[in-house]
Amino acid sequence: MANKHILHMLTPLKHMSPFDVNMALDAGFDAVLPYVDVGLAEVSGLIQDAIFSRPPDAGVDTGIFIGGKDVSLALDMFDAAKKAMVPPFKISVFADPAGSFTTAAAMIAKVEKSLAANFDRSLKDTRVAIFGATGVVGFCTAVIAAKEGADVTIVGHDGVERVDRAASAMKSRFAVDVKTADGSTDAHKLKLIVEAEVILTAAKAGVQVVSKAQLKEAHTLLIAADVNAVPPAGIETVAVSANSEPIEATKAVGIGPLAIGNVKYRVESGLFKRMIQADAAVTLDFQDAFSLAREIAK
């Protein structure tokens, strides 16, 4: 009789994301067990409790998912989970806090494909301005773009203090350098928009970041992409379903949240399936998400 595919889902928050629970079950896990209010110090004990319940050759049928809404904490928990393995007892681990790894991977993969198809460009040295970069999706988007050689500026809607801290965390953990900028006024934002070649918005749902009037001044802009599917759009005139569609009164194209979300959905599902189908335990983070998103994005 085949072993059950069991996924233990850990989060430091009060609730596990229903989105991720649904995704895991639809991907094929037989059972999904959420663990909430999990502290970093508790991860090792939970992992070892899971790995020793099955013989080493059955470890691949057990998985750990790490959620939450804090990229740094999720990666600390991810590292703690890997360190808790006692070979030959190993199980698979997948981190995707608030869907940030898979969403960011999808966004950058879509932008990368659009740059190549529409402008014969790569991310390398492309000027990218990211609004909402202190949130989990924006943070991870900045890291992936910077790792691909983009000239990244993260923009603070309330000044530079928080984005400065985010930039420092990116440099410390990922060895990437990003610039910071004040986007607290329309004048400050316009200056950044005018200078950018790619604009990415990952602000909270229902907040318009970039207006149609500001876009008209963006003469060097190539791509504007938004992950906000809740009206109003994060970038005015970029439709939710836009898939590299021309933006009115500019030479740029827009990528909307549904185009990004379609790739994100397939990436998260694909990584869950990879855990289930693997012959040996796997560990999956934002780099694995980006590799898969590049295969999927069109």
Side-chain angles (χ1 to χ4, degrees), residues 7 9 16-29 32 265 268-269 272:
L7 183 67
M9 307 185 81
M16 175 55 68
S17 163
F19 184 102
D20 295 324
V21 172
N22 289 354
M23 289 288 292
L25 285 168
D26 286 345
F29 278 100
V32 172
Y265 179 91
E268 183 170 350
S269 178
F272 277 135

Side-chain angles (χ1 to χ4, degrees), residues 196-208:
E197 294 174 300
V198 172
I199 294 171
L200 308 177
T201 59
K204 67 180 182 180
V207 174
Q208 186 178 100

Side-chain angles (χ1 to χ4, degrees), residues 103-113 123 141 144-145 200 290:
T103 302
M107 177 180 259
I108 295 298
K110 288 293 293 182
V111 168
E112 182 182 57
K113 289 292 176 72
L123 283 163
T141 299
I144 296 174
L200 308 177
F290 185 49

